[in-house]
Amino acid sequence: MNIGIVLYPTYGGSGVVATELGKGLAKRGHNVHFISYARPMRLDGFHENISFHEVSFSAYPLFEYPPYDLALASHMVDIIKHQKLDLLHVHYAIPHATSAYLAKQILRESGASIPVVTTLHGTDITIVGIDPSYAPVVTFSINKSDGVTAVSEYLREETYKHFDITKEIEVIPNFIDLKRFRKSEQSHFKKALCPNGEKVLVHVSNFREVKRVSDTVEVFHNVLKSGIKAHLLLVGDGPERQKVENRCRELKICDKVRFLGKQEKIEDILSIADLFLIPSGSETFGLAALEAMSCSVPVLSTNIGGLPELNIHGETGYLCDLGDTDTMGKYAVSILSDDGLQKKLSANARKRAEQFELNQVIDHYESYYKSVIHDVTASATPQ
Ligand code: GMT
């Protein structure tokens, strides 16, 4: 198949999922065309049947905000026509699903058609999408997609609850490359960081408010207060970074907290972790937690959104109420002070991650694409 994948190129989860999906489809022999305003972060090196199409859009003094959605729709039309795409898969509804609808209508004028699949990822529904300034357009664009997928049962239900959706939504979860994300030998790294065998707690995010990175610091502070010697590694960067650093200064724990910034080889860092913290206020799936679990790291998370579908309480880690950093601290201490428990949770975490293995999920997407193409073709064929 010739498949167009429209995505955000940044470190966010939807961009990672879309890029890894495209790479996986290309390995199976499909021709994949990534479409975005910049080269996706995870799209490194040269791949035989992968192309990247950059959406350029010109500024004009009249535009305070150049209309990216229109430039994107024009690019879609061009690529669908000239690369003879069989299907267009857009990740994150805003504005991708809307641009796809526009492109489809333009193509219809010349008798061409393109099946469109929209994957809902998270904040496109839970935070940005429900905002009245976007909601009618998001509803319309989802209903006009030929296929709609969501990354968890939770997101599927939220979409039905908050929008007037007439389409069937298929749940296709996030996935993981178990070969890449596995615990590897990093003893030199661990020794350099923790010369006295200190425990390592890790948090990875884009440091947006919704990630509640400050809660991570509070939990870590509780761990230190219990007498456990430990370090906290904060991976990623974003708007909350300064606030979090200020809190570390107030608590006088800066010497124990390392801000590592954006990192490519997260699996190396996860390989030395004893515990992963994800205290998010909203999380439709929690790809960062899956990456940790795949590296055999137990997860301490909130019981919010799709996280309970991934992190099994008492088995792969623990789930706590939003903002309850005292209980989170207690669970963290119980894991870090009991080697037997830590090992049991680690092994279970890896086993749980195996249920989200990349190839199984790509199979799911492939068969879903085929069913959408079949339905679109059938409805276009005169009886
Ligand atoms: O807001 C973000 O964290 C980024 C966002 C995205 O769409 O780029 O991530 C969402 O999609 C990921 C991939 O499907 C999910 O694993 C994340 O849970 C989800 N984030 C939120 O719901 C906050």
Side-chain angles (χ1 to χ4, degrees):
M1 272 187 264
N2 292 333
I3 302 163
I5 293 187
V6 181
L7 72 165
Y8 281 106
T10 47
Y11 276 96
S14 66
V16 171
V17 168
T19 310
E20 297 299 342
L21 170 63
K23 281 158 63 175
L25 289 164
K27 265 198 200 136
R28 293 178 175 204
H30 299 291
N31 293 312
V32 174
H33 296 267
F34 285 107
I35 305 168
S36 190
Y37 57 78
R39 194 175 176 81
M41 293 292 178
R42 285 259 183 124
L43 188 61
D44 43 359
F46 170 75
H47 303 260
E48 211 181 326
N49 33 354
I50 293 182
S51 316
F52 168 60
H53 306 265
E54 185 170 319
V55 180
S56 50
F57 50 109
S58 46
Y60 185 70
L62 192 62
F63 303 142
E64 192 175 355
Y65 307 105
Y68 174 67
D69 31 13
L70 302 186
L72 177 60
S74 294
H75 268 73
M76 285 173 170
V77 170
D78 184 74
I79 296 159
I80 292 163
K81 262 194 200 158
H82 294 103
Q83 303 296 338
K84 304 193 171 16
L85 296 191
D86 298 301
L87 180 126
L88 187 66
H89 186 177
V90 304
H91 290 260
Y92 205 90
I94 308 167
H96 301 157
T98 314
S99 300
Y101 171 73
L102 190 52
K104 203 178 157 94
Q105 292 307 108
I106 294 168
L107 286 163
R108 187 165 283 174
E109 294 290 305
S110 56
S113 84
I114 179 81
V116 172
V117 170
T118 296
T119 289
L120 309 172
H121 278 275
T123 50
D124 47 350
I125 294 298
T126 55
I127 297 178
V128 194
I130 51 170
D131 189 287
S133 56
Y134 295 114
V137 176
V138 171
T139 308
F140 177 82
S141 308
I142 292 173
N143 283 331
K144 290 294 177 185
S145 300
D146 300 296
V148 184
T149 79
V151 297
S152 62
E153 286 293 340
Y154 164 79
L155 184 57
R156 179 178 188 272
E157 292 318 309
E158 282 296 290
T159 310
Y160 283 130
K161 193 164 32 161
H162 297 291
F163 301 85
D164 191 8
I165 298 300
T166 53
K167 283 264 160 220
E168 186 50 46
I169 301 175
E170 177 96 353
V171 174
I172 308 186
N174 286 178
F175 51 86
I176 192 80
D177 179 349
L178 294 165
K179 286 197 197 101
R180 176 179 164 187
F181 285 90
R182 66 203 302 273
K183 200 177 189 70
S184 65
E185 228 301 291
Q186 301 289 339
S187 52
H188 57 290
F189 178 29
K190 172 109 192 193
K191 251 218 144 81
L193 211 75
C194 312
N196 303 309
E198 295 91 332
K199 302 289 180 190
V200 177
L201 293 84
V202 174
H203 169 82
V204 181
S205 78
N206 48 27
F207 280 55
R208 285 195 223 139
E209 208 181 331
V210 70
K211 301 292 177 182
R212 299 184 61 114
V213 191
S214 299
D215 284 3
T216 303
V217 171
E218 300 302 333
V219 175
F220 180 62
H221 187 226
N222 285 336
V223 168
L224 292 179
K225 282 195 294 190
S226 79
I228 292 176
K229 304 265 179 287
H231 287 283
L232 172 64
L233 305 183
L234 295 173
V235 183
D237 211 338
E240 293 286 289
R241 152 85 199 247
Q242 196 52 54
K243 189 176 137 195
V244 173
E245 199 157 357
N246 291 346
R247 184 63 183 142
C248 293
R249 286 179 192 149
E250 276 168 22
L251 294 169
K252 301 195 179 6
I253 56 171
C254 291
D255 57 329
K256 310 243 170 352
V257 181
R258 297 280 289 266
F259 289 83
L260 300 182
K262 289 175 183 163
Q263 293 283 332
E264 294 294 332
K265 297 206 78 192
I266 289 174
E267 61 274 25
D268 290 354
I269 299 165
L270 291 170
S271 288
I272 67 160
D274 298 293
L275 181 61
F276 187 80
L277 303 174
I278 177 163
S280 304
S282 172
E283 203 70 66
T284 53
F285 182 89
L287 181 60
L290 176 58
E291 291 179 344
M293 289 162 74
S294 187
C295 291
S296 307
V297 187
V299 169
L300 190 52
S301 71
T302 41
N303 50 17
I304 295 278
L307 285 166
E309 292 174 49
L310 174 66
N311 185 22
I312 312 300
H313 188 73
E315 233 177 77
T316 61
Y318 294 102
L319 297 157
C320 300
D321 289 342
L322 176 65
D324 187 357
T325 51
D326 285 345
T327 305
M328 288 185 205
K330 280 182 195 139
Y331 279 127
V333 170
S334 74
I335 296 170
L336 297 172
S337 58
D338 180 344
D339 273 358
L341 176 64
Q342 202 278 346
K343 283 207 168 72
K344 190 185 98 185
L345 298 175
S346 301
N348 290 345
R350 171 73 187 184
K351 264 210 190 93
R352 178 83 185 125
E354 285 166 5
Q355 291 169 4
F356 299 90
E357 193 267 329
L358 169 104
N359 281 304
Q360 293 169 31
V361 179
I362 293 183
D363 283 347
H364 194 165
Y365 273 115
E366 248 183 343
S367 63
Y368 186 68
Y369 288 171
K370 283 180 193 151
S371 76
V372 169
I373 291 172
H374 172 269
D375 291 351
V376 169
T377 313
S379 68
T381 312
Q383 303 297 307

